[in-house]
């Protein structure tokens, strides 16, 4: 069992020993540290934090612990209940709140949960801010309020609808064209809050949703990471229903993937490529994704006369570079769309609306749209970490072994070859080393990944 503290938040498995898992005591400690950090940012009479969660089985328990800890610090709480990560993000500035907490472990299995921490802009904390919270938690430097100064909890269950209103109001979302297209779409909500939000959005856009696993029970019917090997039921449903395409999201609805009308994956990496193609065709500019994302975004950006740059992995790193480069759209190759005209956070609802607008305007099948983009193939593999493994030393050795190649070392080691690349890094969210490769064929990508797995194991003596 595991407790991971990183720029992606406090993430761990439910149950087990304190300080080794996400136990109730750990949830209270880190919520208290966050609330203390927040109050240290500015001195004022009242503070407010928005709290929402995905449909995980442990979600209600963790949310109650977190909210009442904030109440104990004298902080008022807006309880969104079942929500999505992007919905909580947009609600923070709309509520004029001081911050937000999303209780979700994203793509991790049901035994995991996490506290994702937001600032007053509804954006993830940076590394320095996250480190300060860890220091507060480690030192127990928290002081709670007296009885007359406790915070209060106010329930607001309107924000998914408000979020949808915000998406429909975006200038580039072509509501009329989408409605005229009479799309039929199968939605796999993995029995979490995507099963609430995505069908509601589709209905507002005049799209007929066919619901698959859209009951928010938290009992995930398959591995919740939206990858091809987990989506056999969606493929069957798309073909059976003669749908125009399929949509799948992760449990907190910040990752988005599509399936074409034949039941084949559009490619999670190509979610951002397609949305960027649409946005760049209307508002030319630059793009950003992380180092583990496909070269196809670079190609599409340059086709529209823009410039592409890669950031370190992690949403906060992508957002920082997006702001610096003043990009019109960016995100991550795992299906995360970040559209600044909406907000600086990965948002599957925005991605769905942009993709539908593109498809409606082009009047083509999803398979035809995918065939119109550069064809790269990726392999994503992992090596489980063992206690005491010197990951930094392993990556340094790999860097030295490939010093004659083009290297990028802002996040692990990325090695660029003429027609392929490999990225080796320690995960922010799991106790693993990730190995990403991209090449002109799937066989070449898999072979490259296997080669580097063998090399890492040889260096590490495992």
């Amino acid at each position: 069992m595991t407790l991971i503290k990183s720029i992606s938040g406090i993430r761990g498995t439910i149950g087990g020993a304190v300080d080794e898992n996400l136990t109730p005591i750990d949830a209270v400690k880190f919520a208290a540290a966050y609330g203390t950090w927040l109050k240290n940012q500015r001195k004022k009479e009242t503070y407010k934090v928005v709290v929402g969660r995905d449909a995980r089985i442990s979600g209600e328990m963790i949310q109650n612990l977190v909210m009442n800890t904030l109440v104990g610090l004298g902080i008022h709480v807006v309880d969104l209940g079942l929500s999505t990560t992007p919905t909580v993000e947009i609600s923070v500035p709309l509520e004029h709140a001081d911050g937000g907490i999303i209780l979700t472990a994203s793509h991790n299995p049901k035994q995991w949960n996490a506290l994702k921490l937001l600032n007053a802009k509804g954006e993830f904390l940076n590394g320095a801010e996250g480190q300060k919270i860890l220091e507060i938690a480690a030192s127990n430097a928290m002081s709670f309020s007296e009885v007359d100064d406790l915070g209060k909890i106010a329930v607001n269950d309107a924000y998914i609808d408000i979020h949808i209103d915000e998406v429909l109001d975006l200038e580039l979302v072509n509501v009329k064209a989408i409605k005229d297209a009479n799309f039929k779409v199968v939605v796999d909500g993995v029995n979490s809050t995507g099963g609430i939000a995505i069908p509601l959005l589709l209905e507002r856009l005049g799209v007929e949703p066919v619901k698959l696993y859209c009951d928010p029970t938290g009992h995930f019917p398959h591995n919740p990471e939206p990858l091809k090997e987990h989506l056999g039921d969606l493929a069957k449903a798309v073909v059976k229903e003669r749908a125009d395409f399929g949509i799948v999201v992760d449990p907190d609805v910040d990752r988005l993937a599509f399936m074409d009308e034949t039941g084949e994956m559009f490619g999670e990496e190509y979610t951002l490529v397609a949305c960027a193609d649409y946005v760049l065709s209307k508002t030319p500019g630059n793009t950003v994704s992380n180092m583990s994302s496909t070269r196809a975004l670079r190609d599409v950006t340059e086709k529209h006369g823009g410039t592409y740059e890669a950031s370190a992995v992690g949403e906060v790193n992508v957002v920082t570079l997006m702001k610096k480069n003043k990009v019109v759209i960016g995100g991550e190759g795992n299906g995360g769309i970040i559209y600044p005209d909406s907000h600086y956070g990965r948002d599957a609802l925005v991605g769905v609306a942009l993709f539908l607008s593109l498809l409606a305007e082009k009047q083509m099948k999803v398979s035809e749209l995918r065939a119109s983009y550069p064809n790269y193939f990726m392999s994503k593999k992992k090596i489980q970490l063992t206690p005491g493994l010197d990951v930094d030393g392993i990556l340094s050795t790999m860097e030295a072994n490939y010093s004659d190649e083009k290297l990028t070392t802002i996040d692990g080691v990325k090695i660029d070859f003429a027609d392929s690349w490999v990225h080796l890094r320690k995960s922010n969210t799991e106790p693993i080393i990730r190995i990403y490769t991209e090449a002109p064929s799937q066989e070449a990508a898999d072979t490259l990944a296997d080669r580097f797995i063998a090399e890492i194991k040889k260096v590490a003596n495992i």
Side-chain angles (χ1 to χ4, degrees):
M1 308 300 272
T2 307
L3 186 65
I4 300 173
K5 309 162 192 175
S6 75
I7 63 170
S8 297
I10 310 301
R11 184 177 302 227
T13 46
I14 300 298
V18 175
D19 291 329
E20 295 178 10
N21 310 272
L22 188 60
T23 68
I25 291 173
D26 293 289
V28 168
K29 178 171 69 174
F30 289 108
Y34 169 74
T36 300
W37 170 82
L38 184 149
K39 292 173 70 174
N40 289 341
Q41 300 309 295
R42 359 175 229 172
K43 300 298 180 184
K44 45 190 293 200
E45 288 189 9
T46 61
Y47 299 87
K48 184 194 291 187
V49 170
V50 179
V51 181
R53 64 181 174 90
D54 69 13
R56 287 171 187 275
I57 298 166
S58 63
E60 186 175 4
M61 174 192 74
I62 297 294
Q63 182 170 6
N64 285 328
L65 290 164
V66 165
M67 290 194 304
N68 283 294
T69 299
L70 296 173
V71 166
L73 287 163
I75 296 171
H76 299 308
V77 174
V78 180
D79 172 12
L80 270 53
L82 288 173
S83 192
T84 78
T85 286
T87 302
V88 177
E89 289 171 346
I90 69 158
S91 72
V92 171
L94 289 174
E95 284 288 332
H96 304 288
D98 300 283
I101 300 178
I102 309 147
L103 305 169
T104 174
S106 298
H107 63 276
N108 290 110
K110 68 178 183 179
Q111 65 266 31
W112 290 77
N113 213 327
L115 282 68
K116 290 186 175 182
L117 309 175
L118 306 176
N119 61 23
K121 295 180 180 178
E123 298 169 12
F124 286 115
L125 305 187
N126 62 36
E129 292 165 336
Q131 183 58 40
K132 185 63 180 175
I133 290 168
L134 295 181
E135 291 171 0
I136 292 170
S139 64
N140 287 321
M142 293 87 82
S143 179
F144 291 87
S145 296
E146 296 182 4
V147 67
D148 292 327
D149 299 317
L150 298 176
K152 293 181 173 60
I153 298 174
V155 176
N156 189 332
D157 59 4
Y159 265 103
I160 287 179
D161 289 322
I162 293 170
H163 186 181
I164 291 171
D165 288 340
E166 295 267 311
V167 172
L168 298 182
D169 285 342
L170 291 170
E171 184 178 351
L172 293 192
V173 174
N174 193 336
V175 176
K176 183 180 184 305
I178 296 169
K179 287 184 175 180
D180 289 346
N182 294 314
F183 289 119
K184 181 180 182 180
V185 177
V186 181
V187 180
D188 182 347
V190 73
N191 283 345
S192 190
T193 49
I196 301 171
I198 300 298
L200 285 174
L201 171 66
L202 294 177
E203 288 168 357
R204 293 281 302 277
L205 286 166
V207 177
E208 179 187 350
V210 178
K211 298 180 183 179
L212 177 68
Y213 306 135
C214 286
D215 187 11
T217 62
H219 292 283
F220 304 147
H222 55 75
N223 186 309
E225 190 163 14
L227 302 177
K228 178 180 180 179
E229 56 266 31
H230 308 148
L231 302 175
D233 290 348
L234 177 61
K236 292 176 184 175
V238 168
V239 174
K240 179 183 177 182
E241 295 289 338
R242 297 184 179 179
D244 293 286
F245 62 99
I247 293 172
V248 60
V249 292
D250 66 339
D252 67 324
V253 203
D254 63 357
R255 287 176 62 175
L256 169 66
F258 299 112
M259 182 172 282
D260 73 18
E261 73 282 359
T262 71
E264 290 297 319
M265 292 299 294
F266 186 76
E268 193 181 28
E269 289 287 328
Y270 283 80
T271 301
L272 177 56
V273 174
C275 291
D277 185 28
Y278 177 68
V279 170
L280 292 168
S281 72
K282 308 288 185 180
T283 52
N286 303 324
T287 64
V288 162
S289 65
N290 68 40
M291 292 168 58
S292 293
S293 302
T294 179
R295 285 178 174 176
L297 180 61
R298 176 202 64 186
D299 295 348
V300 167
T301 304
E302 291 175 352
K303 179 187 76 172
H304 288 288
T307 301
Y308 165 79
E309 188 174 353
S311 77
V313 175
E315 185 172 323
V316 66
N317 298 317
V318 176
V319 167
T320 298
L321 189 57
M322 286 179 66
K323 290 179 177 179
K324 178 184 175 183
N325 291 3
K326 299 179 180 178
V327 308
V328 295
I329 188 170
E332 298 187 288
N334 60 8
I337 306 299
I338 304 176
Y339 185 44
D341 279 9
S342 175
H343 64 114
Y344 278 103
R346 296 184 302 179
D347 192 330
L349 278 75
V350 169
V352 166
L354 293 175
F355 186 82
L356 283 166
S357 298
L358 172 66
L359 206 61
E361 291 190 10
K362 284 188 173 288
Q363 297 184 351
M364 60 169 52
K365 294 180 178 180
V366 172
S367 60
E368 295 170 338
L369 179 65
R370 175 62 182 84
S372 71
Y373 294 126
N375 216 14
Y376 296 108
F377 296 84
M378 292 190 73
S379 180
K380 301 179 181 183
K381 300 191 178 185
K382 61 184 75 172
I383 298 175
Q384 196 73 29
L385 295 182
T386 55
L389 193 64
D390 182 9
V391 177
D392 291 335
I394 293 168
L395 295 178
S396 294
T397 300
M398 299 302 294
E399 179 184 349
N401 290 348
Y402 287 90
S403 59
D404 291 338
E405 305 291 345
K406 181 181 176 183
L407 299 177
T408 307
T409 57
I410 59 172
D411 182 6
V413 180
K414 183 174 184 180
I415 307 163
D416 274 288
F417 303 106
D419 63 350
S420 61
W421 55 260
V422 59
H423 186 198
L424 315 170
R425 61 181 296 272
K426 184 177 179 179
S427 173
N428 291 329
T429 59
E430 297 178 70
I432 57 174
I433 295 176
R434 294 191 182 276
I435 300 95
Y436 294 93
T437 61
E438 186 171 64
S441 71
Q442 191 61 58
E443 182 181 5
D446 290 337
T447 299
L448 187 61
D450 290 340
R451 168 187 148 191
F452 273 87
I453 289 172
E455 289 188 27
I456 289 171
K457 286 184 174 180
K458 183 177 179 180
V459 169
N461 292 318
I462 56 176

